[in-house]
Amino acid sequence: QQQVKQSPQSLIVQKGGISIINCAYENTAFDYFPWYQQFPGKGPALLIAIRPDVSEKKEGRFTISFNKSAKQFSLHIMDSQPGDSATYFCAASKESGNTGKLIFGQGTTLQVKP
Amino acid sequence: ETGVTQTPRHLVMGMTNKKSLKCEQHLGHNAMYWYKQSAKKPLELMFVYNFKEQTENNSVPSRFSPECPNSSHLFLHLHTLQPEDSALYLCASSQVPGGPSSSYNEQFFGPGTRLTVL
């Protein structure tokens, strides 16, 4: 019930290509879905987040697609660049009555080849 | 930098040692968190503090003892750890969750302390 399943575990994309990372959750009470980006030697940093009242959110080259009925959401990175090479984590939490508990996926290591 | 600092950045300790990890945030937040990050596993939430009060203990063994003297500082005291406790320990802070906007849920992470238990 509390798990967030993320795939793939690793991804290699050519420069200019589209990177797609998928996540699935079980708890229908979750209502906040962020994506975090982590570079080596750094802590995760918030990249983009979505609430389930919208099906898509776009910020620059990064887009979250959200499918509430399927309990799935995905991150699309358009025109992927070598500087996007990092580990990406999806997460989920329940905002109302929230103690701050974010449930993270296992992470996806993205490598963008020049 | 994110405004969350952690010291030390690297720590090697024996199983009988006692050590402490320190976290400090300069963002004016009132919630602080400890996470454990192990290879090939999701980030595991360990503890949550809101306004210096512990609100979440995610079934963490007692050899890990958190302390939050004020909203800006968070410690993790370590005692008789096991080799499987070797991991990256991340501190994060946020506004107290459940506020009127999603920014209340954004957690800002420090760079972590890489802990090795021999």
Side-chain angles (χ1 to χ4, degrees):
Chain A
Q1 266 280 323
Q2 288 285 70
Q3 279 190 321
V4 176
K5 295 182 180 178
Q6 183 173 346
S7 63
Q9 188 174 346
S10 63
L11 182 61
I12 300 175
V13 173
Q14 292 290 345
K15 179 182 175 182
I18 302 173
S19 305
I20 302 174
I21 305 170
N22 301 299
C23 283
Y25 63 98
E26 299 170 350
N27 189 342
T28 54
F30 288 150
D31 55 7
Y32 173 69
F33 303 91
W35 285 90
Y36 278 78
Q37 179 188 55
Q38 185 178 26
F39 293 105
K42 304 278 189 181
L46 180 67
L47 186 63
I48 186 172
I50 196 168
R51 289 177 169 175
D53 51 349
V54 295
S55 60
E56 186 175 282
K57 182 173 182 179
K58 184 175 181 178
E59 289 183 3
R61 295 183 295 108
F62 301 91
T63 300
I64 300 179
S65 296
F66 185 81
N67 186 331
K68 188 174 181 179
S69 60
K71 293 185 285 186
Q72 295 176 344
F73 59 109
S74 59
L75 177 70
H76 296 237
I77 307 175
M78 311 300 288
D79 187 26
S80 299
Q81 299 296 312
D84 297 329
S85 298
T87 301
Y88 292 82
F89 296 93
C90 63
S93 74
K94 181 171 170 292
E95 278 196 316
S96 59
N98 187 16
T99 59
K101 188 173 183 176
L102 274 175
I103 308 299
F104 282 87
Q106 296 92 327
T108 297
T109 301
L110 171 65
Q111 182 184 358
V112 181
K113 291 194 167 183
Chain B
E1 298 300 324
T2 63
V4 181
T5 58
Q6 291 187 243
T7 55
R9 294 292 309 274
H10 300 272
L11 178 62
V12 180
M13 59 187 290
M15 290 191 287
T16 58
N17 291 158
K18 286 184 181 180
K19 296 286 184 184
S20 294
L21 310 185
K22 179 183 177 182
C23 175
E24 184 173 358
Q25 59 95 3
H26 309 273
L27 300 168
H29 291 157
N30 286 304
M32 297 190 77
Y33 311 79
W34 279 116
Y35 286 89
K36 177 183 178 182
Q37 186 174 30
S38 306
K40 298 182 181 179
K41 293 177 76 173
L43 276 79
E44 300 172 60
L45 179 67
M46 300 175 72
F47 302 103
V48 181
Y49 279 83
N50 289 337
F51 293 106
K52 303 187 299 178
E53 298 298 319
Q54 189 180 117
T55 56
E56 188 88 26
N57 177 336
N58 204 23
S59 303
V60 180
S62 59
R63 57 185 184 271
F64 295 91
S65 175
E67 179 189 0
C68 189
N70 55 61
S71 294
S72 299
H73 294 85
L74 185 65
F75 296 88
L76 188 62
H77 304 297
L78 315 172
H79 177 50
T80 59
L81 294 192
Q82 305 298 311
E84 59 264 30
D85 296 323
S86 299
L88 182 69
Y89 288 86
L90 291 160
C91 172
S93 72
S94 74
Q95 297 184 54
V96 174
S101 76
S102 60
S103 66
Y104 277 74
N105 284 298
E106 180 177 359
Q107 295 182 16
F108 292 78
F109 285 82
T113 294
R114 174 68 63 187
L115 174 66
T116 302
V117 181
L118 301 177

